[in-house]
Amino acid sequence: MDQKNKSFYLEKIKILLDIDDTDIYDSKIEILLSGAINTLKKAGIPEIEKDSELATNYAICLALETSKLMDMDFNSDILQRLYITSVVTLRTEFTDEK
């Protein structure tokens, strides 16, 4: 993932996880972002450019996957519901293309 996309998704993840803008979290999320991307790839969802209309759905999926990798202690109920909708939307989009 190129740096522009990484920066975009880093900011979206911090917003979704209610993380303040700190260097510590930025570095940690940036490291874990590749793991989240790989998890989504294995689920059949390719990397999505920040300019895509599906970028918000992808950001939601990345945020939940990142939060799992960070083992964060927060109420993830809303994010979990958003994730389910987003992953279905993304899978449908890429299944329909084939």
Side-chain angles (χ1 to χ4, degrees), residues 42-86:
K42 288 178 184 173
I45 301 167
E47 286 184 34
I48 297 174
E49 299 291 319
K50 68 182 183 85
D51 299 330
S52 169
E53 64 184 44
L54 299 171
T56 301
N57 290 331
Y58 193 61
I60 291 167
C61 294
L62 289 174
L64 186 65
E65 291 301 331
T66 303
S67 72
K68 290 177 190 176
L69 295 168
M70 291 176 75
D71 195 25
M72 293 184 68
D73 183 27
F74 77 107
N75 185 348
S76 64
D77 291 344
I78 293 171
L79 189 58
Q80 183 68 42
R81 281 181 268 161
L82 289 170
Y83 176 87
I84 291 167
T85 302
S86 294

Short mmCIF file of all heavy atoms in Angstrom, two decimals, residues 42-86:
data_model
loop_
_atom_site.label_atom_id
_atom_site.label_comp_id
_atom_site.label_asym_id
_atom_site.label_seq_id
_atom_site.Cartn_x
_atom_site.Cartn_y
_atom_site.Cartn_z
N LYS A 42 -7.14 -12.39 2.58
CA LYS A 42 -7.47 -13.80 2.74
C LYS A 42 -8.98 -14.01 2.76
O LYS A 42 -9.46 -15.10 2.42
CB LYS A 42 -6.85 -14.35 4.01
CG LYS A 42 -5.35 -14.51 3.91
CD LYS A 42 -4.75 -15.02 5.19
CE LYS A 42 -3.24 -15.08 5.07
NZ LYS A 42 -2.59 -15.41 6.33
N ALA A 43 -9.72 -12.97 3.14
CA ALA A 43 -11.19 -13.05 3.15
C ALA A 43 -11.77 -12.68 1.79
O ALA A 43 -12.98 -12.58 1.64
CB ALA A 43 -11.74 -12.12 4.23
N GLY A 44 -10.90 -12.44 0.81
CA GLY A 44 -11.36 -12.14 -0.54
C GLY A 44 -11.56 -10.67 -0.85
O GLY A 44 -12.19 -10.32 -1.84
N ILE A 45 -11.01 -9.81 0.00
CA ILE A 45 -11.17 -8.37 -0.20
C ILE A 45 -9.79 -7.77 -0.51
O ILE A 45 -8.93 -7.71 0.36
CB ILE A 45 -11.78 -7.70 1.04
CG1 ILE A 45 -13.14 -8.31 1.34
CG2 ILE A 45 -11.87 -6.18 0.85
CD1 ILE A 45 -13.71 -7.96 2.68
N PRO A 46 -9.59 -7.30 -1.73
CA PRO A 46 -8.29 -6.72 -2.10
C PRO A 46 -8.10 -5.33 -1.50
O PRO A 46 -9.06 -4.74 -0.99
CB PRO A 46 -8.36 -6.65 -3.62
CG PRO A 46 -9.81 -6.50 -3.91
CD PRO A 46 -10.53 -7.28 -2.85
N GLU A 47 -6.89 -4.82 -1.57
CA GLU A 47 -6.62 -3.44 -1.12
C GLU A 47 -7.47 -2.48 -1.94
O GLU A 47 -7.65 -2.67 -3.14
CB GLU A 47 -5.15 -3.08 -1.32
CG GLU A 47 -4.23 -3.74 -0.34
CD GLU A 47 -2.80 -3.28 -0.51
OE1 GLU A 47 -2.55 -2.10 -0.86
OE2 GLU A 47 -1.91 -4.11 -0.29
N ILE A 48 -7.97 -1.46 -1.28
CA ILE A 48 -8.82 -0.49 -1.94
C ILE A 48 -8.18 0.89 -1.82
O ILE A 48 -7.80 1.30 -0.73
CB ILE A 48 -10.23 -0.50 -1.33
CG1 ILE A 48 -10.87 -1.88 -1.58
CG2 ILE A 48 -11.09 0.62 -1.89
CD1 ILE A 48 -12.18 -2.08 -0.91
N GLU A 49 -8.08 1.58 -2.93
CA GLU A 49 -7.50 2.92 -2.97
C GLU A 49 -8.39 3.90 -2.20
O GLU A 49 -9.61 3.76 -2.18
CB GLU A 49 -7.36 3.40 -4.41
CG GLU A 49 -6.45 2.54 -5.26
CD GLU A 49 -4.99 2.65 -4.85
OE1 GLU A 49 -4.53 3.77 -4.55
OE2 GLU A 49 -4.31 1.60 -4.82
N LYS A 50 -7.76 4.91 -1.63
CA LYS A 50 -8.50 5.89 -0.83
C LYS A 50 -9.53 6.67 -1.63
O LYS A 50 -10.49 7.18 -1.08
CB LYS A 50 -7.55 6.85 -0.13
CG LYS A 50 -6.82 7.80 -1.05
CD LYS A 50 -5.86 8.68 -0.27
CE LYS A 50 -5.18 9.68 -1.15
NZ LYS A 50 -5.96 10.88 -1.36
N ASP A 51 -9.36 6.75 -2.94
CA ASP A 51 -10.28 7.50 -3.78
C ASP A 51 -11.51 6.69 -4.20
O ASP A 51 -12.42 7.23 -4.81
CB ASP A 51 -9.56 8.00 -5.04
CG ASP A 51 -8.41 8.92 -4.70
OD1 ASP A 51 -8.50 9.63 -3.66
OD2 ASP A 51 -7.43 8.96 -5.44
N SER A 52 -11.54 5.42 -3.85
CA SER A 52 -12.65 4.55 -4.23
C SER A 52 -13.89 4.88 -3.39
O SER A 52 -13.79 5.30 -2.24
CB SER A 52 -12.26 3.10 -4.00
OG SER A 52 -13.38 2.25 -4.11
N GLU A 53 -15.06 4.66 -3.99
CA GLU A 53 -16.29 4.86 -3.23
C GLU A 53 -16.44 3.82 -2.12
O GLU A 53 -17.24 3.97 -1.21
CB GLU A 53 -17.51 4.83 -4.15
CG GLU A 53 -17.73 3.51 -4.85
CD GLU A 53 -18.87 3.54 -5.84
OE1 GLU A 53 -18.96 4.51 -6.60
OE2 GLU A 53 -19.67 2.59 -5.82
N LEU A 54 -15.63 2.77 -2.18
CA LEU A 54 -15.66 1.71 -1.16
C LEU A 54 -14.64 1.93 -0.04
O LEU A 54 -14.52 1.11 0.87
CB LEU A 54 -15.40 0.36 -1.82
CG LEU A 54 -16.42 -0.07 -2.87
CD1 LEU A 54 -15.94 -1.32 -3.60
CD2 LEU A 54 -17.77 -0.29 -2.24
N ALA A 55 -13.92 3.03 -0.08
CA ALA A 55 -12.85 3.29 0.89
C ALA A 55 -13.35 3.34 2.33
O ALA A 55 -12.68 2.85 3.23
CB ALA A 55 -12.11 4.59 0.53
N THR A 56 -14.52 3.89 2.54
CA THR A 56 -15.06 3.97 3.90
C THR A 56 -15.34 2.57 4.44
O THR A 56 -15.02 2.27 5.59
CB THR A 56 -16.35 4.82 3.93
OG1 THR A 56 -16.03 6.12 3.45
CG2 THR A 56 -16.91 4.93 5.33
N ASN A 57 -15.93 1.72 3.61
CA ASN A 57 -16.18 0.34 4.04
C ASN A 57 -14.88 -0.38 4.36
O ASN A 57 -14.78 -1.12 5.34
CB ASN A 57 -16.94 -0.43 2.96
CG ASN A 57 -18.36 0.04 2.81
OD1 ASN A 57 -18.97 0.50 3.75
ND2 ASN A 57 -18.90 -0.07 1.62
N TYR A 58 -13.88 -0.16 3.53
CA TYR A 58 -12.57 -0.78 3.74
C TYR A 58 -11.94 -0.26 5.03
O TYR A 58 -11.37 -1.03 5.80
CB TYR A 58 -11.68 -0.51 2.54
CG TYR A 58 -10.42 -1.34 2.47
CD1 TYR A 58 -10.47 -2.72 2.38
CD2 TYR A 58 -9.17 -0.73 2.48
CE1 TYR A 58 -9.31 -3.49 2.31
CE2 TYR A 58 -8.00 -1.48 2.40
CZ TYR A 58 -8.08 -2.86 2.32
OH TYR A 58 -6.93 -3.61 2.25
N ALA A 59 -12.08 1.03 5.31
CA ALA A 59 -11.54 1.62 6.54
C ALA A 59 -12.18 1.00 7.77
O ALA A 59 -11.49 0.73 8.77
CB ALA A 59 -11.74 3.13 6.53
N ILE A 60 -13.48 0.75 7.71
CA ILE A 60 -14.18 0.12 8.83
C ILE A 60 -13.62 -1.28 9.08
O ILE A 60 -13.35 -1.67 10.22
CB ILE A 60 -15.70 0.08 8.58
CG1 ILE A 60 -16.27 1.49 8.64
CG2 ILE A 60 -16.41 -0.85 9.56
CD1 ILE A 60 -17.67 1.63 8.10
N CYS A 61 -13.44 -2.03 8.01
CA CYS A 61 -12.88 -3.39 8.14
C CYS A 61 -11.46 -3.34 8.70
O CYS A 61 -11.11 -4.12 9.58
CB CYS A 61 -12.90 -4.09 6.79
SG CYS A 61 -14.56 -4.43 6.16
N LEU A 62 -10.65 -2.43 8.19
CA LEU A 62 -9.28 -2.29 8.69
C LEU A 62 -9.26 -1.89 10.17
O LEU A 62 -8.43 -2.37 10.94
CB LEU A 62 -8.50 -1.26 7.87
CG LEU A 62 -8.12 -1.66 6.46
CD1 LEU A 62 -7.49 -0.48 5.73
CD2 LEU A 62 -7.17 -2.86 6.45
N ALA A 63 -10.18 -1.02 10.57
CA ALA A 63 -10.23 -0.57 11.96
C ALA A 63 -10.53 -1.73 12.90
O ALA A 63 -9.88 -1.89 13.94
CB ALA A 63 -11.27 0.53 12.12
N LEU A 64 -11.50 -2.55 12.54
CA LEU A 64 -11.83 -3.68 13.41
C LEU A 64 -10.70 -4.69 13.45
O LEU A 64 -10.32 -5.17 14.52
CB LEU A 64 -13.13 -4.37 12.99
CG LEU A 64 -13.58 -5.45 13.97
CD1 LEU A 64 -13.95 -4.84 15.31
CD2 LEU A 64 -14.74 -6.24 13.43
N GLU A 65 -10.13 -5.01 12.30
CA GLU A 65 -9.01 -5.95 12.27
C GLU A 65 -7.81 -5.40 13.07
O GLU A 65 -7.16 -6.15 13.79
CB GLU A 65 -8.59 -6.25 10.83
CG GLU A 65 -9.61 -7.05 10.04
CD GLU A 65 -9.94 -8.40 10.65
OE1 GLU A 65 -9.09 -9.00 11.33
OE2 GLU A 65 -11.07 -8.87 10.43
N THR A 66 -7.55 -4.12 12.95
CA THR A 66 -6.45 -3.50 13.70
C THR A 66 -6.72 -3.54 15.19
O THR A 66 -5.82 -3.83 15.98
CB THR A 66 -6.23 -2.05 13.24
OG1 THR A 66 -5.96 -2.04 11.83
CG2 THR A 66 -5.07 -1.41 13.95
N SER A 67 -7.96 -3.26 15.59
CA SER A 67 -8.30 -3.29 17.02
C SER A 67 -8.11 -4.68 17.60
O SER A 67 -7.68 -4.83 18.75
CB SER A 67 -9.73 -2.80 17.26
OG SER A 67 -10.69 -3.74 16.83
N LYS A 68 -8.39 -5.71 16.81
CA LYS A 68 -8.16 -7.09 17.28
C LYS A 68 -6.68 -7.34 17.49
O LYS A 68 -6.27 -7.95 18.48
CB LYS A 68 -8.71 -8.09 16.26
CG LYS A 68 -10.21 -8.15 16.17
CD LYS A 68 -10.58 -9.14 15.08
CE LYS A 68 -12.04 -9.11 14.73
NZ LYS A 68 -12.35 -10.01 13.61
N LEU A 69 -5.86 -6.87 16.55
CA LEU A 69 -4.42 -7.06 16.65
C LEU A 69 -3.82 -6.26 17.81
O LEU A 69 -2.83 -6.68 18.41
CB LEU A 69 -3.73 -6.67 15.34
CG LEU A 69 -4.07 -7.54 14.13
CD1 LEU A 69 -3.56 -6.90 12.85
CD2 LEU A 69 -3.49 -8.94 14.30
N MET A 70 -4.43 -5.14 18.15
CA MET A 70 -3.95 -4.30 19.24
C MET A 70 -4.47 -4.80 20.59
O MET A 70 -4.02 -4.36 21.63
CB MET A 70 -4.38 -2.85 19.04
CG MET A 70 -3.69 -2.18 17.88
SD MET A 70 -4.28 -0.49 17.60
CE MET A 70 -3.48 0.37 18.95
N ASP A 71 -5.45 -5.71 20.56
CA ASP A 71 -6.09 -6.23 21.76
C ASP A 71 -6.60 -5.06 22.61
O ASP A 71 -6.34 -4.97 23.81
CB ASP A 71 -5.13 -7.11 22.56
CG ASP A 71 -5.84 -7.94 23.61
OD1 ASP A 71 -7.05 -8.22 23.44
OD2 ASP A 71 -5.21 -8.29 24.62
N MET A 72 -7.33 -4.17 21.95
CA MET A 72 -7.83 -2.97 22.61
C MET A 72 -9.02 -3.28 23.50
O MET A 72 -9.84 -4.13 23.19
CB MET A 72 -8.24 -1.92 21.57
CG MET A 72 -7.10 -1.37 20.79
SD MET A 72 -7.63 -0.06 19.67
CE MET A 72 -8.07 1.20 20.87
N ASP A 73 -9.09 -2.57 24.61
CA ASP A 73 -10.20 -2.70 25.54
C ASP A 73 -11.16 -1.53 25.31
O ASP A 73 -11.00 -0.46 25.88
CB ASP A 73 -9.69 -2.70 26.98
CG ASP A 73 -10.79 -2.92 27.98
OD1 ASP A 73 -11.80 -3.55 27.63
OD2 ASP A 73 -10.66 -2.44 29.13
N PHE A 74 -12.11 -1.73 24.41
CA PHE A 74 -13.12 -0.72 24.16
C PHE A 74 -14.39 -1.41 23.68
O PHE A 74 -14.38 -2.58 23.31
CB PHE A 74 -12.63 0.32 23.14
CG PHE A 74 -12.64 -0.14 21.71
CD1 PHE A 74 -13.59 0.34 20.82
CD2 PHE A 74 -11.71 -1.06 21.25
CE1 PHE A 74 -13.61 -0.10 19.51
CE2 PHE A 74 -11.72 -1.49 19.93
CZ PHE A 74 -12.68 -1.00 19.07
N ASN A 75 -15.49 -0.69 23.72
CA ASN A 75 -16.77 -1.25 23.31
C ASN A 75 -16.82 -1.29 21.79
O ASN A 75 -17.00 -0.26 21.15
CB ASN A 75 -17.91 -0.41 23.87
CG ASN A 75 -19.27 -1.03 23.58
OD1 ASN A 75 -19.38 -1.95 22.79
ND2 ASN A 75 -20.28 -0.51 24.22
N SER A 76 -16.67 -2.46 21.24
CA SER A 76 -16.59 -2.59 19.78
C SER A 76 -17.91 -3.00 19.14
O SER A 76 -17.94 -3.35 17.97
CB SER A 76 -15.50 -3.61 19.42
OG SER A 76 -15.86 -4.88 19.90
N ASP A 77 -19.01 -2.95 19.89
CA ASP A 77 -20.31 -3.39 19.35
C ASP A 77 -20.71 -2.65 18.08
O ASP A 77 -21.10 -3.25 17.10
CB ASP A 77 -21.42 -3.23 20.40
CG ASP A 77 -21.27 -4.20 21.56
OD1 ASP A 77 -20.51 -5.19 21.41
OD2 ASP A 77 -21.88 -3.98 22.60
N ILE A 78 -20.61 -1.33 18.11
CA ILE A 78 -21.00 -0.54 16.95
C ILE A 78 -20.07 -0.83 15.78
O ILE A 78 -20.52 -1.04 14.65
CB ILE A 78 -21.01 0.97 17.28
CG1 ILE A 78 -22.11 1.27 18.29
CG2 ILE A 78 -21.19 1.82 16.03
CD1 ILE A 78 -22.08 2.66 18.86
N LEU A 79 -18.77 -0.87 16.05
CA LEU A 79 -17.80 -1.15 15.00
C LEU A 79 -18.01 -2.55 14.43
O LEU A 79 -17.91 -2.76 13.22
CB LEU A 79 -16.37 -0.99 15.52
CG LEU A 79 -15.26 -1.04 14.48
CD1 LEU A 79 -15.45 0.02 13.40
CD2 LEU A 79 -13.91 -0.85 15.17
N GLN A 80 -18.36 -3.51 15.27
CA GLN A 80 -18.63 -4.88 14.82
C GLN A 80 -19.83 -4.91 13.87
O GLN A 80 -19.78 -5.57 12.83
CB GLN A 80 -18.88 -5.80 16.01
CG GLN A 80 -19.08 -7.26 15.64
CD GLN A 80 -17.83 -7.92 15.12
OE1 GLN A 80 -16.74 -7.70 15.64
NE2 GLN A 80 -17.95 -8.72 14.10
N ARG A 81 -20.88 -4.17 14.20
CA ARG A 81 -22.05 -4.11 13.32
C ARG A 81 -21.71 -3.45 11.99
O ARG A 81 -22.13 -3.90 10.93
CB ARG A 81 -23.20 -3.39 14.00
CG ARG A 81 -23.93 -4.31 14.99
CD ARG A 81 -25.06 -3.60 15.64
NE ARG A 81 -24.47 -3.05 16.87
CZ ARG A 81 -24.97 -2.07 17.58
NH1 ARG A 81 -26.07 -1.49 17.22
NH2 ARG A 81 -24.38 -1.65 18.66
N LEU A 82 -20.94 -2.37 12.05
CA LEU A 82 -20.51 -1.69 10.83
C LEU A 82 -19.63 -2.62 9.99
O LEU A 82 -19.72 -2.63 8.77
CB LEU A 82 -19.73 -0.42 11.16
CG LEU A 82 -20.53 0.74 11.72
CD1 LEU A 82 -19.59 1.83 12.23
CD2 LEU A 82 -21.47 1.30 10.67
N TYR A 83 -18.77 -3.39 10.65
CA TYR A 83 -17.87 -4.31 9.97
C TYR A 83 -18.66 -5.34 9.16
O TYR A 83 -18.35 -5.60 8.01
CB TYR A 83 -16.98 -5.01 11.00
CG TYR A 83 -16.07 -6.05 10.41
CD1 TYR A 83 -14.83 -5.70 9.91
CD2 TYR A 83 -16.44 -7.39 10.37
CE1 TYR A 83 -13.98 -6.65 9.37
CE2 TYR A 83 -15.60 -8.35 9.84
CZ TYR A 83 -14.37 -7.98 9.34
OH TYR A 83 -13.54 -8.93 8.81
N ILE A 84 -19.66 -5.91 9.78
CA ILE A 84 -20.45 -6.94 9.11
C ILE A 84 -21.07 -6.39 7.83
O ILE A 84 -20.99 -7.00 6.76
CB ILE A 84 -21.53 -7.52 10.06
CG1 ILE A 84 -20.85 -8.32 11.17
CG2 ILE A 84 -22.53 -8.38 9.30
CD1 ILE A 84 -21.75 -8.69 12.33
N THR A 85 -21.66 -5.21 7.93
CA THR A 85 -22.26 -4.58 6.75
C THR A 85 -21.20 -4.27 5.70
O THR A 85 -21.39 -4.52 4.51
CB THR A 85 -22.99 -3.28 7.16
OG1 THR A 85 -23.97 -3.60 8.14
CG2 THR A 85 -23.65 -2.62 5.96
N SER A 86 -20.07 -3.74 6.14
CA SER A 86 -19.01 -3.35 5.22
C SER A 86 -18.39 -4.55 4.52
O SER A 86 -18.14 -4.52 3.31
CB SER A 86 -17.92 -2.57 5.96
OG SER A 86 -18.44 -1.35 6.42
#
